[in-house]
mmCIF file of all heavy atoms in Angstrom:
data_model
loop_
_atom_site.group_PDB
_atom_site.id
_atom_site.type_symbol
_atom_site.label_atom_id
_atom_site.label_comp_id
_atom_site.label_asym_id
_atom_site.label_seq_id
_atom_site.Cartn_x
_atom_site.Cartn_y
_atom_site.Cartn_z
ATOM 1 N N ARG U 8 120.710 -28.577 204.266
ATOM 2 C CA ARG U 8 120.932 -29.969 203.868
ATOM 3 C C ARG U 8 121.767 -30.632 204.934
ATOM 4 O O ARG U 8 122.770 -30.074 205.375
ATOM 5 C CB ARG U 8 121.671 -30.046 202.535
ATOM 6 C CG ARG U 8 120.821 -29.442 201.442
ATOM 7 C CD ARG U 8 120.947 -29.913 200.088
ATOM 8 N NE ARG U 8 121.119 -31.288 199.775
ATOM 9 C CZ ARG U 8 121.340 -31.679 198.536
ATOM 10 N NH1 ARG U 8 121.418 -30.810 197.558
ATOM 11 N NH2 ARG U 8 121.481 -32.960 198.274
ATOM 12 N N LYS U 9 121.347 -31.802 205.352
ATOM 13 C CA LYS U 9 122.111 -32.587 206.318
ATOM 14 C C LYS U 9 123.009 -33.538 205.541
ATOM 15 O O LYS U 9 122.510 -34.340 204.743
ATOM 16 C CB LYS U 9 121.174 -33.368 207.231
ATOM 17 C CG LYS U 9 120.361 -32.480 208.130
ATOM 18 C CD LYS U 9 119.445 -33.294 209.014
ATOM 19 C CE LYS U 9 118.659 -32.391 209.932
ATOM 20 N NZ LYS U 9 117.777 -33.153 210.812
ATOM 21 N N LEU U 10 124.303 -33.446 205.771
ATOM 22 C CA LEU U 10 125.251 -34.324 205.096
ATOM 23 C C LEU U 10 125.622 -35.451 206.054
ATOM 24 O O LEU U 10 125.972 -35.206 207.206
ATOM 25 C CB LEU U 10 126.499 -33.555 204.672
ATOM 26 C CG LEU U 10 126.258 -32.287 203.842
ATOM 27 C CD1 LEU U 10 127.575 -31.693 203.401
ATOM 28 C CD2 LEU U 10 125.391 -32.582 202.644
ATOM 29 N N GLU U 11 125.547 -36.668 205.551
ATOM 30 C CA GLU U 11 125.799 -37.846 206.366
ATOM 31 C C GLU U 11 127.069 -38.549 205.909
ATOM 32 O O GLU U 11 127.414 -38.510 204.721
ATOM 33 C CB GLU U 11 124.620 -38.818 206.248
ATOM 34 C CG GLU U 11 123.317 -38.217 206.730
ATOM 35 C CD GLU U 11 122.134 -39.128 206.505
ATOM 36 O OE1 GLU U 11 122.257 -40.116 205.744
ATOM 37 O OE2 GLU U 11 121.077 -38.849 207.088
ATOM 38 N N CYS U 12 127.741 -39.195 206.856
ATOM 39 C CA CYS U 12 128.930 -39.976 206.529
ATOM 40 C C CYS U 12 128.520 -41.156 205.650
ATOM 41 O O CYS U 12 127.527 -41.825 205.930
ATOM 42 C CB CYS U 12 129.597 -40.490 207.796
ATOM 43 S SG CYS U 12 130.272 -39.180 208.828
ATOM 44 N N GLU U 13 129.284 -41.398 204.606
ATOM 45 C CA GLU U 13 128.974 -42.492 203.692
ATOM 46 C C GLU U 13 129.498 -43.830 204.203
ATOM 47 O O GLU U 13 129.042 -44.877 203.774
ATOM 48 C CB GLU U 13 129.566 -42.195 202.317
ATOM 49 C CG GLU U 13 128.949 -40.976 201.664
ATOM 50 C CD GLU U 13 129.603 -40.624 200.346
ATOM 51 O OE1 GLU U 13 130.476 -41.373 199.872
ATOM 52 O OE2 GLU U 13 129.242 -39.579 199.787
ATOM 53 N N VAL U 14 130.480 -43.778 205.112
ATOM 54 C CA VAL U 14 131.090 -44.989 205.652
ATOM 55 C C VAL U 14 131.331 -44.810 207.149
ATOM 56 O O VAL U 14 131.406 -43.688 207.645
ATOM 57 C CB VAL U 14 132.439 -45.303 204.963
ATOM 58 C CG1 VAL U 14 132.264 -45.613 203.499
ATOM 59 C CG2 VAL U 14 133.422 -44.168 205.151
ATOM 60 N N ALA U 15 131.457 -45.923 207.845
ATOM 61 C CA ALA U 15 131.872 -45.873 209.251
ATOM 62 C C ALA U 15 133.381 -45.695 209.281
ATOM 63 O O ALA U 15 134.099 -46.189 208.412
ATOM 64 C CB ALA U 15 131.476 -47.163 209.947
ATOM 65 N N GLY U 16 133.861 -44.955 210.267
ATOM 66 C CA GLY U 16 135.301 -44.752 210.378
ATOM 67 C C GLY U 16 135.626 -43.708 211.423
ATOM 68 O O GLY U 16 134.875 -43.511 212.377
ATOM 69 N N LYS U 17 136.747 -43.033 211.212
ATOM 70 C CA LYS U 17 137.247 -42.036 212.150
ATOM 71 C C LYS U 17 137.471 -40.729 211.398
ATOM 72 O O LYS U 17 138.003 -40.730 210.285
ATOM 73 C CB LYS U 17 138.568 -42.539 212.741
ATOM 74 C CG LYS U 17 139.155 -41.673 213.804
ATOM 75 C CD LYS U 17 140.409 -42.341 214.360
ATOM 76 C CE LYS U 17 140.943 -41.588 215.539
ATOM 77 N NZ LYS U 17 142.098 -42.289 216.130
ATOM 78 N N ILE U 18 137.060 -39.616 212.009
ATOM 79 C CA ILE U 18 137.271 -38.307 211.384
ATOM 80 C C ILE U 18 138.762 -37.979 211.453
ATOM 81 O O ILE U 18 139.327 -37.831 212.531
ATOM 82 C CB ILE U 18 136.451 -37.201 212.084
ATOM 83 C CG1 ILE U 18 134.958 -37.526 212.070
ATOM 84 C CG2 ILE U 18 136.730 -35.836 211.450
ATOM 85 C CD1 ILE U 18 134.323 -37.596 210.711
ATOM 86 N N MET U 19 139.385 -37.919 210.285
ATOM 87 C CA MET U 19 140.817 -37.610 210.209
ATOM 88 C C MET U 19 141.076 -36.113 210.233
ATOM 89 O O MET U 19 141.990 -35.646 210.899
ATOM 90 C CB MET U 19 141.408 -38.152 208.899
ATOM 91 C CG MET U 19 141.880 -39.552 208.958
ATOM 92 S SD MET U 19 142.785 -39.969 207.465
ATOM 93 C CE MET U 19 144.188 -38.894 207.569
ATOM 94 N N ARG U 20 140.275 -35.387 209.444
ATOM 95 C CA ARG U 20 140.565 -33.969 209.250
ATOM 96 C C ARG U 20 139.282 -33.230 208.876
ATOM 97 O O ARG U 20 138.492 -33.715 208.081
ATOM 98 C CB ARG U 20 141.603 -33.839 208.135
ATOM 99 C CG ARG U 20 142.136 -32.483 207.890
ATOM 100 C CD ARG U 20 143.342 -32.487 206.927
ATOM 101 N NE ARG U 20 143.055 -33.113 205.634
ATOM 102 C CZ ARG U 20 143.527 -34.301 205.236
ATOM 103 N NH1 ARG U 20 144.300 -35.014 206.019
ATOM 104 N NH2 ARG U 20 143.227 -34.787 204.046
ATOM 105 N N ILE U 21 139.114 -32.061 209.461
ATOM 106 C CA ILE U 21 138.024 -31.170 209.077
ATOM 107 C C ILE U 21 138.641 -30.073 208.215
ATOM 108 O O ILE U 21 139.584 -29.406 208.639
ATOM 109 C CB ILE U 21 137.309 -30.603 210.317
ATOM 110 C CG1 ILE U 21 136.643 -31.754 211.077
ATOM 111 C CG2 ILE U 21 136.293 -29.545 209.908
ATOM 112 C CD1 ILE U 21 135.992 -31.384 212.368
ATOM 113 N N GLU U 22 138.129 -29.929 206.999
ATOM 114 C CA GLU U 22 138.749 -29.042 206.018
ATOM 115 C C GLU U 22 138.009 -27.730 205.810
ATOM 116 O O GLU U 22 138.534 -26.837 205.160
ATOM 117 C CB GLU U 22 138.900 -29.775 204.688
ATOM 118 C CG GLU U 22 139.801 -30.992 204.819
ATOM 119 C CD GLU U 22 140.164 -31.608 203.496
ATOM 120 O OE1 GLU U 22 139.300 -31.683 202.600
ATOM 121 O OE2 GLU U 22 141.328 -32.024 203.365
ATOM 122 N N ALA U 23 136.801 -27.607 206.335
ATOM 123 C CA ALA U 23 136.029 -26.365 206.187
ATOM 124 C C ALA U 23 135.427 -26.019 207.545
ATOM 125 O O ALA U 23 134.872 -26.876 208.218
ATOM 126 C CB ALA U 23 134.929 -26.533 205.148
ATOM 127 N N ALA U 24 135.564 -24.779 207.940
ATOM 128 C CA ALA U 24 135.050 -24.327 209.239
ATOM 129 C C ALA U 24 133.595 -23.883 209.114
ATOM 130 O O ALA U 24 133.110 -23.586 208.015
ATOM 131 C CB ALA U 24 135.903 -23.167 209.743
ATOM 132 N N VAL U 25 132.916 -23.824 210.250
ATOM 133 C CA VAL U 25 131.563 -23.267 210.276
ATOM 134 C C VAL U 25 131.643 -21.833 209.752
ATOM 135 O O VAL U 25 132.534 -21.071 210.115
ATOM 136 C CB VAL U 25 130.980 -23.307 211.709
ATOM 137 C CG1 VAL U 25 129.678 -22.531 211.781
ATOM 138 C CG2 VAL U 25 130.782 -24.740 212.157
ATOM 139 N N GLY U 26 130.736 -21.496 208.861
ATOM 140 C CA GLY U 26 130.720 -20.172 208.239
ATOM 141 C C GLY U 26 131.429 -20.117 206.896
ATOM 142 O O GLY U 26 131.299 -19.145 206.163
ATOM 143 N N ALA U 27 132.166 -21.182 206.554
ATOM 144 C CA ALA U 27 132.897 -21.208 205.286
ATOM 145 C C ALA U 27 131.933 -21.407 204.119
ATOM 146 O O ALA U 27 130.975 -22.170 204.196
ATOM 147 C CB ALA U 27 133.932 -22.323 205.296
ATOM 148 N N ARG U 28 132.188 -20.715 203.045
ATOM 149 C CA ARG U 28 131.436 -20.883 201.801
ATOM 150 C C ARG U 28 132.103 -21.996 201.006
ATOM 151 O O ARG U 28 133.322 -21.990 200.827
ATOM 152 C CB ARG U 28 131.456 -19.565 201.021
ATOM 153 C CG ARG U 28 130.767 -19.626 199.695
ATOM 154 C CD ARG U 28 129.297 -19.311 199.823
ATOM 155 N NE ARG U 28 128.709 -19.368 198.490
ATOM 156 C CZ ARG U 28 127.527 -19.877 198.246
ATOM 157 N NH1 ARG U 28 126.786 -20.298 199.215
ATOM 158 N NH2 ARG U 28 127.061 -19.913 197.023
ATOM 159 N N VAL U 29 131.331 -22.985 200.577
ATOM 160 C CA VAL U 29 131.863 -24.098 199.792
ATOM 161 C C VAL U 29 131.117 -24.204 198.469
ATOM 162 O O VAL U 29 129.959 -23.806 198.364
ATOM 163 C CB VAL U 29 131.781 -25.438 200.564
ATOM 164 C CG1 VAL U 29 132.695 -25.429 201.769
ATOM 165 C CG2 VAL U 29 130.352 -25.765 200.970
ATOM 166 N N GLU U 30 131.803 -24.721 197.488
ATOM 167 C CA GLU U 30 131.210 -24.982 196.181
ATOM 168 C C GLU U 30 130.888 -26.465 196.080
ATOM 169 O O GLU U 30 131.393 -27.276 196.854
ATOM 170 C CB GLU U 30 132.183 -24.578 195.064
ATOM 171 C CG GLU U 30 132.516 -23.081 195.048
ATOM 172 C CD GLU U 30 131.296 -22.194 194.848
ATOM 173 O OE1 GLU U 30 130.409 -22.573 194.053
ATOM 174 O OE2 GLU U 30 131.231 -21.132 195.485
ATOM 175 N N ALA U 31 130.051 -26.831 195.142
ATOM 176 C CA ALA U 31 129.726 -28.243 194.921
ATOM 177 C C ALA U 31 131.013 -29.030 194.720
ATOM 178 O O ALA U 31 131.927 -28.572 194.023
ATOM 179 C CB ALA U 31 128.814 -28.387 193.710
ATOM 180 N N GLU U 32 131.094 -30.171 195.357
ATOM 181 C CA GLU U 32 132.232 -31.105 195.291
ATOM 182 C C GLU U 32 133.439 -30.680 196.142
ATOM 183 O O GLU U 32 134.442 -31.375 196.141
ATOM 184 C CB GLU U 32 132.666 -31.365 193.840
ATOM 185 C CG GLU U 32 131.573 -31.950 192.973
ATOM 186 C CD GLU U 32 130.988 -33.250 193.523
ATOM 187 O OE1 GLU U 32 131.734 -34.107 194.006
ATOM 188 O OE2 GLU U 32 129.746 -33.377 193.479
ATOM 189 N N ASP U 33 133.362 -29.558 196.871
ATOM 190 C CA ASP U 33 134.427 -29.198 197.807
ATOM 191 C C ASP U 33 134.394 -30.181 198.979
ATOM 192 O O ASP U 33 133.331 -30.517 199.491
ATOM 193 C CB ASP U 33 134.261 -27.781 198.356
ATOM 194 C CG ASP U 33 134.663 -26.705 197.375
ATOM 195 O OD1 ASP U 33 135.187 -27.033 196.288
ATOM 196 O OD2 ASP U 33 134.459 -25.520 197.702
ATOM 197 N N SER U 34 135.566 -30.602 199.417
ATOM 198 C CA SER U 34 135.673 -31.501 200.565
ATOM 199 C C SER U 34 135.461 -30.716 201.856
ATOM 200 O O SER U 34 136.053 -29.656 202.052
ATOM 201 C CB SER U 34 137.061 -32.152 200.567
ATOM 202 O OG SER U 34 137.235 -32.939 201.709
ATOM 203 N N ILE U 35 134.610 -31.233 202.733
ATOM 204 C CA ILE U 35 134.344 -30.580 204.018
ATOM 205 C C ILE U 35 135.097 -31.298 205.135
ATOM 206 O O ILE U 35 135.640 -30.661 206.024
ATOM 207 C CB ILE U 35 132.839 -30.533 204.305
ATOM 208 C CG1 ILE U 35 132.146 -29.713 203.213
ATOM 209 C CG2 ILE U 35 132.571 -29.946 205.689
ATOM 210 C CD1 ILE U 35 130.638 -29.726 203.281
ATOM 211 N N LEU U 36 135.127 -32.623 205.076
ATOM 212 C CA LEU U 36 135.910 -33.380 206.052
ATOM 213 C C LEU U 36 136.348 -34.697 205.438
ATOM 214 O O LEU U 36 135.856 -35.104 204.391
ATOM 215 C CB LEU U 36 135.130 -33.585 207.356
ATOM 216 C CG LEU U 36 133.765 -34.255 207.318
ATOM 217 C CD1 LEU U 36 133.886 -35.770 207.324
ATOM 218 C CD2 LEU U 36 132.963 -33.821 208.521
ATOM 219 N N ILE U 37 137.311 -35.333 206.108
ATOM 220 C CA ILE U 37 137.866 -36.598 205.632
ATOM 221 C C ILE U 37 137.621 -37.665 206.689
ATOM 222 O O ILE U 37 137.951 -37.475 207.861
ATOM 223 C CB ILE U 37 139.390 -36.494 205.374
ATOM 224 C CG1 ILE U 37 139.721 -35.363 204.405
ATOM 225 C CG2 ILE U 37 139.963 -37.830 204.898
ATOM 226 C CD1 ILE U 37 139.259 -35.560 202.993
ATOM 227 N N VAL U 38 137.048 -38.799 206.248
ATOM 228 C CA VAL U 38 136.830 -39.948 207.121
ATOM 229 C C VAL U 38 137.833 -41.034 206.728
ATOM 230 O O VAL U 38 137.984 -41.351 205.547
ATOM 231 C CB VAL U 38 135.391 -40.503 206.965
ATOM 232 C CG1 VAL U 38 135.192 -41.729 207.837
ATOM 233 C CG2 VAL U 38 134.357 -39.437 207.286
ATOM 234 N N GLU U 39 138.531 -41.587 207.721
ATOM 235 C CA GLU U 39 139.421 -42.722 207.474
ATOM 236 C C GLU U 39 138.637 -43.993 207.752
ATOM 237 O O GLU U 39 138.074 -44.160 208.838
ATOM 238 C CB GLU U 39 140.648 -42.666 208.369
ATOM 239 C CG GLU U 39 141.577 -43.835 208.139
ATOM 240 C CD GLU U 39 142.763 -43.841 209.078
ATOM 241 O OE1 GLU U 39 142.686 -43.246 210.166
ATOM 242 O OE2 GLU U 39 143.757 -44.470 208.708
ATOM 243 N N SER U 40 138.601 -44.867 206.757
ATOM 244 C CA SER U 40 137.891 -46.132 206.887
ATOM 245 C C SER U 40 138.714 -47.212 206.206
ATOM 246 O O SER U 40 139.037 -47.081 205.015
ATOM 247 C CB SER U 40 136.511 -46.030 206.244
ATOM 248 O OG SER U 40 135.823 -47.250 206.357
ATOM 249 N N MET U 41 139.093 -48.227 206.950
ATOM 250 C CA MET U 41 139.876 -49.340 206.417
ATOM 251 C C MET U 41 141.125 -48.835 205.683
ATOM 252 O O MET U 41 141.420 -49.256 204.568
ATOM 253 C CB MET U 41 139.007 -50.214 205.520
ATOM 254 C CG MET U 41 137.873 -50.850 206.278
ATOM 255 S SD MET U 41 136.710 -51.930 205.418
ATOM 256 C CE MET U 41 137.275 -52.055 203.785
ATOM 257 N N LYS U 42 141.830 -47.893 206.300
ATOM 258 C CA LYS U 42 143.082 -47.309 205.793
ATOM 259 C C LYS U 42 142.896 -46.507 204.509
ATOM 260 O O LYS U 42 143.856 -46.223 203.808
ATOM 261 C CB LYS U 42 144.148 -48.380 205.617
ATOM 262 C CG LYS U 42 144.515 -49.061 206.915
ATOM 263 C CD LYS U 42 145.654 -50.030 206.737
ATOM 264 C CE LYS U 42 145.959 -50.703 208.058
ATOM 265 N NZ LYS U 42 147.032 -51.664 207.947
ATOM 266 N N MET U 43 141.658 -46.139 204.197
ATOM 267 C CA MET U 43 141.379 -45.282 203.043
ATOM 268 C C MET U 43 140.843 -43.955 203.543
ATOM 269 O O MET U 43 140.174 -43.887 204.574
ATOM 270 C CB MET U 43 140.343 -45.943 202.119
ATOM 271 C CG MET U 43 140.838 -47.183 201.465
ATOM 272 S SD MET U 43 139.608 -48.080 200.468
ATOM 273 C CE MET U 43 138.525 -46.877 199.871
ATOM 274 N N GLU U 44 141.142 -42.877 202.820
ATOM 275 C CA GLU U 44 140.628 -41.550 203.153
ATOM 276 C C GLU U 44 139.441 -41.245 202.258
ATOM 277 O O GLU U 44 139.589 -41.179 201.041
ATOM 278 C CB GLU U 44 141.720 -40.498 202.978
ATOM 279 C CG GLU U 44 142.874 -40.674 203.945
ATOM 280 C CD GLU U 44 143.936 -39.602 203.803
ATOM 281 O OE1 GLU U 44 143.723 -38.608 203.077
ATOM 282 O OE2 GLU U 44 144.996 -39.773 204.432
ATOM 283 N N ILE U 45 138.266 -41.076 202.858
ATOM 284 C CA ILE U 45 137.032 -40.837 202.105
ATOM 285 C C ILE U 45 136.560 -39.418 202.412
ATOM 286 O O ILE U 45 136.220 -39.117 203.560
ATOM 287 C CB ILE U 45 135.925 -41.835 202.508
ATOM 288 C CG1 ILE U 45 136.364 -43.197 202.500
ATOM 289 C CG2 ILE U 45 134.656 -41.588 201.693
ATOM 290 C CD1 ILE U 45 136.746 -44.266 202.041
ATOM 291 N N PRO U 46 136.512 -38.548 201.411
ATOM 292 C CA PRO U 46 136.037 -37.185 201.671
ATOM 293 C C PRO U 46 134.519 -37.126 201.750
ATOM 294 O O PRO U 46 133.821 -37.873 201.062
ATOM 295 C CB PRO U 46 136.543 -36.401 200.460
ATOM 296 C CG PRO U 46 136.647 -37.413 199.367
ATOM 297 C CD PRO U 46 136.975 -38.730 200.041
ATOM 298 N N LEU U 47 134.030 -36.253 202.622
ATOM 299 C CA LEU U 47 132.607 -35.899 202.636
ATOM 300 C C LEU U 47 132.538 -34.563 201.926
ATOM 301 O O LEU U 47 133.062 -33.560 202.431
ATOM 302 C CB LEU U 47 132.076 -35.799 204.062
ATOM 303 C CG LEU U 47 130.606 -35.377 204.190
ATOM 304 C CD1 LEU U 47 129.693 -36.404 203.526
ATOM 305 C CD2 LEU U 47 130.228 -35.212 205.644
#
């Protein structure tokens, strides 16, 4: 599955590394947009 950014912004933080197992709704990265933090 290709996950796409929902908003334009700047990547603040990557929270899961390549190879990491994630569950549904786990945050993989955080995008800062208009002073808000939006998780992918």
Side-chain angles (χ1 to χ4, degrees):
R8 296 209 40 186
K9 293 180 179 181
L10 307 185
E11 299 175 346
C12 294
E13 296 176 5
V14 296
K17 185 176 187 176
I18 302 297
M19 272 189 65
R20 186 170 56 252
I21 296 175
E22 298 190 321
V25 171
R28 177 88 179 140
V29 294
E30 297 300 321
E32 301 304 318
D33 283 354
S34 175
I35 298 173
L36 56 84
I37 304 292
V38 178
E39 180 183 23
S40 180
M41 297 180 3
K42 298 185 181 179
M43 294 175 30
E44 295 182 9
I45 310 291
L47 178 62

